[in-house]
Amino acid sequence: MIDAFLVPDKTVITAKGDSEPLDVSAASNPAFLATLSVTKIIEQQAIELSFFTSADGATWEAKPVASLPQKFYVGQYPLLVDLSQATGAKFLRAHWEVSRWGRGTVTPNFELGLRVREIPAELLRETRAEATTRR
C-alpha cells in the first residue's frame, strides 16, 4: 500500500511548483486519496492543485488526471486521484499554482502538506456500490 507525503507537513509555499515524482507502479489499485492540508494562510490568496502522470518520471502528460479547485482557507481538502484511465502511468506528481492580490506584499505564503494514500480495491468497490444505490 502506498502512503506518502508529496509535500511534507508544514512546508512553506511562496511560489508555483511541483512535488517530487512518486513511483506508483507497485500499487495494487490505481485509485488514490490525496489530502491537501493547509495549516496557515494569509488573506487574499489562493492555491490550486493538479496531479500529472508519467511513464518514465521525466516526461509528464500535458493534461492533469485530477485537479482540486482553488482553496482560500485553512482546512483539509480530499481529492480522489483515479489512474485507471491513465494507461502506462508509473509516476505521479503534484503541481500547484498560487496567487495573491490586494494590499500588502504580493508574495503568497502558505503552510501545507500533501499526502497521497492508495485506496484498497475492496473499499473502493463498496463505496461505488453504495453510491450507486443512493441515486
Side-chain angles (χ1 to χ4, degrees):
M1 292 290 290
I2 293 175
D3 186 352
F5 280 91
L6 289 181
V7 178
D9 274 340
K10 300 192 183 285
T11 297
V12 175
I13 302 291
T14 59
K16 73 178 182 176
D18 298 299
S19 70
E20 291 295 318
L22 175 64
D23 184 348
V24 294
S25 61
S28 58
N29 190 32
F32 299 87
L33 175 64
T35 305
L36 173 66
S37 299
V38 179
T39 50
K40 282 188 183 175
I41 194 169
I42 54 178
E43 64 181 15
Q44 297 179 321
Q45 68 178 14
I47 185 166
E48 188 174 349
L49 187 66
S50 300
F51 289 88
F52 292 86
T53 60
S54 172
D56 60 6
T59 305
W60 297 90
E61 294 294 326
K63 289 183 73 173
V65 292
S67 295
L68 194 61
Q70 287 185 334
K71 298 301 173 194
F72 306 93
Y73 304 106
V74 168
Q76 290 194 337
Y77 303 100
L79 176 67
L80 176 66
V81 180
D82 186 357
L83 303 183
S84 60
Q85 302 300 313
T87 55
K90 294 182 181 177
F91 294 90
L92 180 70
R93 82 170 178 196
H95 173 78
W96 54 87
E97 294 282 337
V98 294
S99 60
R100 172 130 170 77
W101 60 92
R103 296 181 291 147
T105 179
V106 295
T107 303
N109 192 327
F110 292 86
E111 183 182 90
L112 55 85
L114 178 61
R115 184 177 184 184
V116 175
R117 292 178 284 174
E118 184 179 347
I119 300 173
E122 182 179 308
L123 179 60
L124 192 58
R125 275 192 301 275
E126 289 175 15
T127 304
R128 285 183 174 151
E130 184 178 326
T132 303
T133 59
R134 291 185 178 195
R135 288 183 185 170

